[in-house]
Amino acid sequence: MSLPLPTIVVVTCYADAAGFMFALSHDYFLMRMDHGMLYMSELDLGLSFYEYLMGLMITKITSPLALKSVVLEASKLNAKEVMVMGIVDSVHDTLEEIVNTALCLGEELGSRK
């Protein structure tokens, strides 16, 4: 969260529990349309969230309805749903498209130095 340069995460499949939190920790979040899914499995396992994880989710998931869906309902959210909720920055149809987008974004961010 405090790295002094922008970071990009690309989710091409499932990101649940710690994987979801790792993805949220980045500045830019890209996701594959047909294979991606986000899910916080802790609720289904009867676990609670640590305070620092709640802080991260509250900071990065700004829609109250999206936060409720993730934290209280343990919803398994596909790429289209998380795009509408504003959790991810963009969704992409193919692996090639998402990789190219991430590389172009990285070049653009790197040129701003």
Side-chain angles (χ1 to χ4, degrees):
M1 292 292 293
S2 63
L3 195 65
L5 57 109
T7 59
I8 303 166
V9 68
V10 173
V11 173
T12 61
C13 57
Y14 288 52
D16 58 352
F20 189 2
M21 293 298 95
F22 178 73
L24 280 180
S25 298
H26 289 75
D27 299 302
Y28 296 92
F29 191 159
L30 287 60
M31 193 166 170
R32 180 123 176 234
M33 176 65 85
D34 59 345
H35 291 22
M37 186 186 75
L38 303 178
Y39 167 54
M40 288 305 292
S41 58
E42 283 80 354
L43 289 174
D44 290 339
L45 298 172
L47 303 173
S48 57
F49 297 116
Y50 292 108
E51 210 173 297
Y52 64 89
L53 292 178
M54 277 306 303
L56 174 62
M57 288 187 280
I58 289 168
T59 301
K60 299 294 257 193
I61 303 173
T62 56
S63 161
L65 292 176
L67 189 62
K68 177 182 170 185
S69 183
V70 170
V71 173
L72 297 179
E73 300 168 358
S75 298
K76 294 176 180 166
L77 303 168
N78 65 37
K80 184 176 181 181
E81 291 169 319
V82 295
M83 184 67 194
V84 170
M85 292 177 172
I87 296 173
V88 298
D89 295 298
S90 61
V91 295
H92 304 273
D93 292 323
T94 66
L95 183 59
E96 181 180 6
E97 181 184 328
I98 198 169
V99 168
N100 286 338
T101 301
L103 291 172
C104 289
L105 179 57
E107 287 177 8
E108 178 185 326
L109 294 169
S111 70
R112 292 181 186 171
K113 286 184 175 183

